[in-house]
């Protein structure tokens, strides 16, 4: 009986299913990024105001993030109360329906409704998949697999972005068809994911008082993880949202070239993520922070000062290395610090922080791009990230004391 309740985390089918499910989160927005310039041109007849049209078209990328923000806390509660597998299965199916709706819709408002539903689906997929990984693994194995998860997401981004760019070259509708990839993954979830036995955690959760939960909640870790994840994603989403327009101005890049450029960033991100497990054996969570924000800042400074294609690509590669270390470090840190009974809700909060930053990115950066231009905005954000990196390097001891918990 017990073997039916417990998953086999070392099964290659279980690992592959979790990795494929995780890849759905990275393709939620940026996959259709190469279509943005063509979509902006497509809706000239229906939306005359160019600024409004630009804003609405960019919402195709960022609107899912808003609904991920709304859906992630709900997903965290559901996943702790009703289980991991049911939520992952249902939201993977919804993902395919909502994501592919842009394949045949001709109305921008209708496309935006589909993107909103996609956001709810991504919230469920991301929270349930990451919580399953945290349940199945612990210690160095968890760090290694979460690094592998982030790396697989990055490699998936390379494939999906390159494919999205090639398809957008033919027709801006076609990249939306990539979202149908979720349905075969739903079948894998049904076949190979087993709900973990969480009876001990559930009993512990039922018996906990508000005071005991409050005492075991790592507030310092949560402030650092949530706050700087949001900041990093405000900066990161300058790439999928603004880079196609920047490259169009700089080198007259076509959609395929824009897709390849963004894919290069995710490739370097994947390489850095895969190395995270080994690096974590020799480094503390806090020690990663200067490297993460330093790589991102230097990369953005280089992008902002670029005068040609190769310089932009170099900046994207450097920034990608910082991004690749960011998410496994934040996920493993939070998973190790929070009580087991609150893990789903804590990781739901991480998902909220991540996608809140992605949604806020164009709102915060649009005034900067209008006054400073895209190059100036990349340079300004890069300088800010370098300052953050230097702050973490100088005040490392204080940050370590603030976040001291059972997560070492």
């Amino acid at each position: 009986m017990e073997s039916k309740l417990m998953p086999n985390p070392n099964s290659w089918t279980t690992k592959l299913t979790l990795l494929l499910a995780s890849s759905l989160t990275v393709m939620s927005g940026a996959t259709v990024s190469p279509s943005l310039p063509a979509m902006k041109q497509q809706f000239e007849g229906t939306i005359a105001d160019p600024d409004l049209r630009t804003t609405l078209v960019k919402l195709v990328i960022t609107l899912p993030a808003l609904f991920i923000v709304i859906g992630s806390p709900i997903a965290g509660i559901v996943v702790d109360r009703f289980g991991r597998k049911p939520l992952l299965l249902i939201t993977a199916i919804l993902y395919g329906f909502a994501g592919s709706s842009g394949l045949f819709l001709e109305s921008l408002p209708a496309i935006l409704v589909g993107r909103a539903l996609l956001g709810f689906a991504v919230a469920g997929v991301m929270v349930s998949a990451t919580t399953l990984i945290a349940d199945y693994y612990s210690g160095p194995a968890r760090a290694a697999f979460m690094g592998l998860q982030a790396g697989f997401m990055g490699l998936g981004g390379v494939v999906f972005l390159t494919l999205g760019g090639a398809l957008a070259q033919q027709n801006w509708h076609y990249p939306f068809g990539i979202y149908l990839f979720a349905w075969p993954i739903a079948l894998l979830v049904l076949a190979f994911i087993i709900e973990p036995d969480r009876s001990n955690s559930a009993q512990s959760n039922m018996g906990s008082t508000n005071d005991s939960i409050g005492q075991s909640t790592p507030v310092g870790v949560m402030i650092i993880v949530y706050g700087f994840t949001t900041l990093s994603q405000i900066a990161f989403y300058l790439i999928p949202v603004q880079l196609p327009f920047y490259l169009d101005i700089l080198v007259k890049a076509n959609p395929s070239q824009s897709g390849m450029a963004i894919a290069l960033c995710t490739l370097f991100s994947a390489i850095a993520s895969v190395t995270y497990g080994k690096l974590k054996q020799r480094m503390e969570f806090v020690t990663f922070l200067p490297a993460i924000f330093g790589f991102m800042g230097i990369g953005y400074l280089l992008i902002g000062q670029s005068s040609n294609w190769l310089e932009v690509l170099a900046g994207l590669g450097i920034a990608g290395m910082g991004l690749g270390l960011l998410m496994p470090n934040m996920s493993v840190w939070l998973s190790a610090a929070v009580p087991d009974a609150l893990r789903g809700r804590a990781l739901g909060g991480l998902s909220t922080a991540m996608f809140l930053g992605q949604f806020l990115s164009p709102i915060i950066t649009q005034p900067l791009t209008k006054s400073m231009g895209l190059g100036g905005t990349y340079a300004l954000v890069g300088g800010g990230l370098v300052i953050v990196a230097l702050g973490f390097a100088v005040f490392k001891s204080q940050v370590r004391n603030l976040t001291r918990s059972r997560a070492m």
Side-chain angles (χ1 to χ4, degrees):
M1 290 293 292
E2 191 170 322
S3 63
K4 293 181 180 179
L5 294 173
M6 294 301 293
N8 177 12
N10 294 316
S11 165
W12 71 268
T13 52
T14 298
K15 290 181 177 180
L16 180 62
T17 301
L18 289 171
L19 292 172
L20 289 171
S22 299
S23 74
L24 296 178
T25 61
V26 76
M27 63 183 278
S28 61
T31 298
V32 297
S33 179
S35 293
L36 294 189
M39 290 181 69
K40 180 181 176 182
Q41 188 175 12
Q42 171 72 23
F43 293 110
E44 278 182 352
T46 55
I47 305 172
D49 185 342
D51 288 338
L52 176 62
R53 187 170 66 249
T54 299
T55 300
L56 290 177
V57 167
K58 287 179 180 178
L59 277 176
V60 171
I61 301 293
T62 59
L63 190 64
L66 173 62
F67 284 86
I68 296 168
V69 169
I70 296 169
S72 291
I74 301 170
I77 294 170
V78 170
V79 85
D80 278 339
R81 184 165 298 177
F82 300 106
R84 283 59 159 144
K85 180 176 178 177
L87 183 63
L88 181 56
L89 180 61
I90 292 169
T91 51
I93 294 170
L94 175 61
Y95 186 107
F97 277 113
S100 64
S101 61
L103 190 60
F104 54 85
L105 292 174
E106 294 289 348
S107 163
L108 186 54
I111 291 172
L112 291 175
V113 171
R115 303 297 286 177
L117 291 174
L118 176 66
F120 282 125
V122 172
V125 169
M126 184 169 188
V127 172
S128 54
T130 304
T131 306
L132 278 165
I133 292 170
D135 287 340
Y136 286 1
Y137 306 94
S138 62
R142 180 187 290 163
F145 198 88
M146 283 192 170
L148 184 61
Q149 177 198 29
F152 201 88
M153 290 165 66
L155 290 173
V158 174
V159 174
F160 296 133
L161 282 163
T162 304
L163 182 58
L167 292 173
Q169 194 86 349
Q170 306 302 315
N171 188 297
W172 66 264
H173 284 287
Y174 292 168
F176 289 92
I178 298 173
Y179 295 97
L180 292 171
F181 181 63
W183 288 348
I185 294 175
L187 294 176
L188 293 177
V189 170
L190 186 64
F192 300 119
I193 296 298
I194 302 172
E195 183 69 22
D197 180 7
R198 299 183 300 115
S199 56
N200 291 336
S201 293
Q203 290 170 5
S204 173
N205 191 30
M206 290 296 290
S208 295
T209 64
N210 289 336
D211 288 341
S212 64
I213 290 175
Q215 290 169 4
S216 61
T217 301
V219 176
V221 173
M222 295 172 83
I223 290 171
I224 294 290
V225 168
Y226 292 162
F228 285 93
T229 295
T230 300
L231 175 66
S232 70
Q233 295 305 302
I234 291 172
F236 164 63
Y237 243 54
L238 275 170
I239 293 176
V241 175
Q242 305 288 5
L243 192 70
F245 298 98
Y246 184 49
L247 290 176
D248 183 46
I249 294 169
L250 193 66
V251 295
K252 300 296 180 185
N254 59 39
S256 180
Q257 290 174 313
S258 295
M260 289 175 62
I262 300 171
L264 180 74
C265 181
T266 60
L267 175 62
F268 276 82
S269 174
I271 293 169
S273 296
V274 170
T275 66
Y276 175 79
K278 289 187 177 180
L279 292 173
K280 180 62 188 73
Q281 295 175 18
R282 300 188 296 272
M283 296 172 64
E284 297 176 274
F285 294 116
V286 173
T287 311
F288 279 97
L289 298 177
I292 288 168
F293 291 100
F295 279 128
M296 290 182 64
I298 293 169
Y300 275 59
L301 283 170
L302 184 53
I303 293 170
Q305 299 298 316
S306 295
S307 58
N308 59 61
W309 171 258
L310 291 178
E311 289 177 357
V312 172
L313 295 182
L316 287 169
I318 294 170
M321 289 190 290
L323 289 163
L325 295 173
L326 173 77
M327 285 316 296
N329 193 60
M330 298 308 196
S331 297
V332 177
W333 195 358
L334 191 63
S335 297
V338 298
D340 293 347
L342 300 179
R343 183 174 292 146
R345 274 163 279 190
L347 290 171
L350 178 59
S351 180
T352 296
M354 176 179 175
F355 287 97
L356 178 62
Q358 294 184 9
F359 176 74
L360 291 176
S361 180
I363 297 172
I364 292 173
T365 60
Q366 188 66 23
L368 292 176
T369 60
K370 292 194 73 171
S371 61
M372 305 178 61
L374 287 169
T377 300
Y378 278 113
L380 178 66
V381 171
L385 291 169
V386 168
I387 292 172
V388 170
L390 291 173
F392 277 124
V394 172
F395 297 104
K396 183 167 63 175
S397 296
Q398 290 87 339
V399 174
R400 186 184 292 114
N401 291 334
L402 175 66
T403 59
R404 193 174 300 278
S405 70
R406 65 188 181 121
M408 298 300 293

